[in-house]
Amino acid sequence: MARLASISLPAQTLVRPAFFAALVAIGFANGISEHVYRAVADKGLATAASDTFDVSVILWGACAAALLALFRTRAEEMRRSDLAMASLAGLAFLLPVPAASWLGLCLIALHLHVTASDKAARRAAAILFALTIPLFWARLLFAAFSDIILHSDARLVGWIVGTEAVGNVVPLVDGSGSLFIAPGCSSLANLSLALLSATVFINMRCGRWTPASLAWALTSAAAVVAINVTRISLIGLYPSHYGLIHGPVGATIAGWLTLIVILAIGYHRIGYDAPYDR
């Protein structure tokens, strides 16, 4: 009678990467839950899904890149410090405040960086930390320096329109009124996405910034600011077309242009000269 051969499987080969990947997936899902809920409530499931639940494609891609980078790290057994960190991150995930999940992901990123045993782990940590910038650190930065940020946008718009901005208010070119630049119109959100994209492309290759890649990252940032400021300026120049420029059509065009510019510069230029290093 044939006997079943005893097969020894390396049960712990992917324990640590899989453990952190699961934590990241949970934290990301919890962090965007508020956006997903609002998108589904306002638009319905099908429309919300087609709009990626009002979460940028760059954020979805960065999360996938972080997970992929984690599975490229060296296979190791779990450590006691991993469980202690997971407990802290888990507490952040359990808080009834979705933004706290990004703080939990920051803790995971810092822990991975400190305990990294290879370059792949440090690159995974860098991507993970960058993932928290658009929906956590950028918001904190805006809360602290909102006046300066909005006034800077207003000055650029006023320079293009040809009127002098006062605070975050820009007089229309025809003198019929003024344009109020609200927080939702700030260029900071797109700047944070450009930074995230650059970090992902760099760390998916080698994790080393070169003068050329840094210059292209700054170019990407300048381009997204230019797109946002140009759209707002068009409202100041053609106030009668406010509904078209500021409405769904204008928002869609500006959104796609921003996405294309960020990804095109990131894919073709940022990290272009950096050698691929697994």
Side-chain angles (χ1 to χ4, degrees):
M1 183 176 179
R3 295 182 178 179
L4 294 176
S6 176
I7 301 176
S8 178
L9 295 177
Q12 294 180 328
T13 298
L14 290 177
V15 165
R16 198 166 190 253
F19 176 77
F20 282 114
L23 280 178
V24 169
I26 293 171
F28 181 78
N30 197 47
I32 64 170
S33 60
E34 184 178 10
H35 294 269
V36 174
Y37 174 79
R38 288 181 179 177
V40 173
D42 294 341
K43 306 174 183 179
L45 180 59
T47 303
S50 66
D51 291 338
T52 63
F53 300 101
D54 289 341
V55 176
S56 173
V57 172
I58 295 175
L59 280 167
W60 288 105
C63 181
L67 295 175
L68 178 60
L70 282 171
F71 279 108
R72 287 180 174 175
T73 60
R74 182 179 302 166
E76 295 179 305
E77 298 180 10
M78 293 291 297
R79 308 172 187 178
R80 291 183 179 179
S81 60
D82 296 338
L83 298 177
M85 180 280 308
S87 299
L88 292 176
L91 289 175
F93 297 162
L94 289 174
L95 291 175
V97 181
S101 293
W102 303 113
L103 183 58
L105 291 177
C106 286
L107 292 175
I108 297 173
L110 292 174
H111 177 77
L112 282 171
H113 180 77
V114 171
T115 62
S117 58
D118 58 3
K119 292 184 292 185
R122 286 189 289 272
R123 298 206 302 266
I127 295 174
L128 181 55
F129 183 82
L131 180 61
T132 68
I133 292 175
L135 294 177
F136 185 72
W137 297 111
R139 289 186 174 184
L140 288 182
L141 182 64
F142 186 84
F145 303 102
S146 59
D147 288 343
I148 296 175
I149 295 170
L150 291 176
H151 293 180
S152 298
D153 280 328
R155 290 191 188 96
L156 290 173
V157 172
W159 178 70
I160 296 176
V161 173
T163 58
E164 187 173 353
V166 179
N168 58 332
V169 178
V170 182
L172 300 176
V173 70
D174 61 2
S176 61
S178 297
L179 182 64
F180 177 80
I181 300 181
C185 299
S186 169
S187 299
L188 182 62
N190 290 337
L191 275 175
S192 63
L193 290 176
L195 175 60
L196 170 59
S197 174
T199 303
V200 169
F201 280 108
I202 285 292
N203 285 280
M204 288 302 290
R205 290 182 64 84
C206 69
R208 296 191 299 274
W209 287 86
T210 65
S213 61
L214 181 58
W216 279 109
L218 294 174
T219 300
S220 177
V224 299
V225 171
I227 291 172
N228 187 61
V229 169
T230 298
R231 180 192 174 202
I232 300 173
S233 299
L234 288 174
I235 299 174
L237 292 169
Y238 307 101
S240 60
H241 297 289
Y242 173 85
L244 177 66
I245 300 171
H246 190 268
V249 174
T252 300
I253 293 174
W256 274 105
L257 280 176
T258 300
L259 180 63
I260 291 171
V261 166
I262 290 176
L263 294 182
I265 294 177
Y267 182 79
H268 292 289
R269 304 311 313 178
I270 298 177
Y272 179 79
D273 295 326
Y276 182 75
D277 181 9
R278 294 183 63 86

